[in-house]
Amino acid sequence: MDRLQVVGIFVVVLVVVVLVIRKRAASPKTVPTRIDPLQLGLDAQYGDTAIVAFSGPLCHACQEWSKALTAAGIPYRSIDVLQESSLAQAYAIKSTPVILVVERKSGTVLESFTDEPSAASVERVRSLVLV
């Protein structure tokens, strides 16, 4: 293969990667509005308002959420989308992080977060859990 072909293949691959990244950035993350608390293992230890964190092993924002929730003393149910793929599929979780604040008895999602945690978002989660 000559250099021109190698450069051509590289350019094509680069264009495809850029298009995929743009498509992901342009499409809003979908989050469920209701979940089945029993299916997700949300028992009384999580309180009346429970936190569910869908995460992936290579997701930096997921790791930051885990640290922030733990530091704030907020109990949460972590669901690794690779290890528990059936749960991720059941709730159409296609990218991470997805942090859900759930009314445990009804399964209603009160709020959701899909970006890196900020001080304000962690405080908002804390305020909902302590209600």
Side-chain angles (χ1 to χ4, degrees):
M1 214 183 310
D2 69 353
R3 290 182 186 186
L4 187 56
Q5 288 176 319
V6 171
V7 170
I9 291 170
F10 177 76
V11 169
V12 169
V13 169
L14 183 62
V15 167
V16 169
V17 168
V18 168
L19 291 174
V20 168
I21 290 171
R22 284 187 180 175
K23 182 179 179 189
R24 283 188 178 179
S27 62
K29 292 184 181 180
T30 58
V31 295
T33 57
R34 184 174 299 281
I35 57 101
D36 179 348
L38 295 178
Q39 182 184 33
L40 296 180
L42 297 176
D43 56 23
Q45 75 175 346
Y46 294 100
D48 292 335
T49 304
I51 309 303
V52 178
F54 286 92
S55 64
L58 301 177
C59 172
H60 175 73
C62 301
Q63 295 168 5
E64 293 301 311
W65 269 106
S66 178
K67 289 177 191 174
L69 293 172
T70 300
I74 300 170
Y76 64 99
R77 164 74 161 97
S78 180
I79 298 173
D80 183 312
V81 296
L82 293 181
Q83 292 180 358
E84 299 183 73
S85 60
S86 61
L87 290 177
Q89 289 174 349
Y91 294 103
I93 305 297
K94 299 194 186 306
S95 61
T96 56
V98 174
I99 311 301
L100 304 175
V101 181
V102 180
E103 183 181 62
R104 192 174 56 82
K105 289 181 183 176
S106 69
T108 302
V109 175
L110 303 173
E111 284 196 38
S112 61
F113 302 88
T114 58
D115 293 323
E116 295 216 10
S118 65
S121 59
V122 174
E123 183 55 37
R124 178 64 180 151
V125 170
R126 182 198 326 259
S127 71
L128 290 166
V129 169
L130 297 179
V131 169

